[in-house]
Amino acid sequence: MAVEVLRLGHRGERDKRVSTHVALTARALGADKILFTCEDEHVRESIEKVVENWGGDFKFEVVESWKEYIRDFKKRGVVVHLTMYGESINERIDTIREFLREDKDILVVIGGEKVPKEVYHLADYNISIGNQPHSEVAALAIFLDRLFEGKTLYRDYPDAKIKVIPSERKKVVIRKP
Ligand code: SAM
């Protein structure tokens, strides 16, 4: 079972911060891979550095054709597009979680400014995180947290060089050489 995130509509310079946040959020909340539709060395390097220091095997990849990627993915898993126009997450999350239990892969698709109509038809599920417009970072975080029921938030990364020990008031950090 793998959970991947496909980020559509990255627009270079303007989106660097949001795109980096999308990738960090995907990793921190339990996804295995982030896919962009165009290369961004800045985002790639930021993610690779985080993985090196904080552990795990999270991947950054670039796909040539998002349509082909979605079509291929459907042969091995389920495609969930997050959009404010979709069905309620509250009504659908149990159905989607069932695919995880069956060991199927899940591809979460999130947009930037305008998402092509085709995405709505290619996706197996169009899911809203509320029907108000907000952000792909917030939508992704809530979706992954609901999918994994909070279990990925405090995951241990055995190969991490840096670890935070939860503390009531102090910053407690362990660093391996
Ligand atoms: N009109 C867009 C839409 O379809 O949700 C809002 C664009 S928003 C700047 C960028 C991305 O954030 C969207 O493509 C979607 O993936 C995500 N998003 C924003 N609000 C959302 C919501 N309420 N539910 C699910 N996803 C949302």
Side-chain angles (χ1 to χ4, degrees), residues 6-60:
L6 173 61
R7 199 265 203 265
L8 301 175
H10 170 69
R11 299 158 301 175
E13 264 328 295
R14 286 167 70 192
D15 282 348
K16 269 191 199 334
R17 228 175 111 77
V18 173
S19 294
T20 305
H21 288 184
V22 163
L24 291 175
T25 300
R27 174 186 171 274
L29 279 101
D32 302 284
K33 191 189 280 188
I34 181 95
L35 302 132
F36 274 30
T37 50
C38 62
E39 183 57 86
D40 189 314
E41 286 299 335
H42 175 85
V43 179
R44 183 186 285 278
E45 278 166 24
S46 305
I47 300 312
E48 286 174 355
K49 215 168 165 188
V50 166
V51 172
E52 198 190 317
N53 286 320
W54 294 85
D57 194 28
F58 185 77
K59 299 269 187 289
F60 175 100

Side-chain angles (χ1 to χ4, degrees), residues 74-141:
K74 288 176 78 159
K75 294 174 194 156
R76 64 179 159 106
V78 178
V79 177
V80 179
H81 169 222
L82 299 183
T83 165
M84 62 189 274
Y85 304 105
E87 296 181 273
S88 157
I89 185 166
N90 294 342
E91 307 286 326
R92 275 295 192 197
I93 194 66
D94 289 344
T95 313
I96 296 168
R97 208 182 288 121
E98 204 46 48
F99 293 113
L100 272 191
R101 292 206 183 96
E102 292 167 7
D103 226 23
K104 290 213 171 110
D105 294 344
I106 295 181
L107 178 67
V108 186
V109 183
I110 49 174
E113 205 112 283
K114 193 155 169 61
V115 173
K117 242 195 206 147
E118 240 176 313
V119 178
Y120 290 78
H121 297 286
L122 282 170
D124 296 297
Y125 297 95
N126 289 290
I127 298 293
S128 62
I129 313 294
N131 296 121
Q132 305 297 315
H134 45 82
S135 135
E136 53 269 47
V137 182
L140 178 64

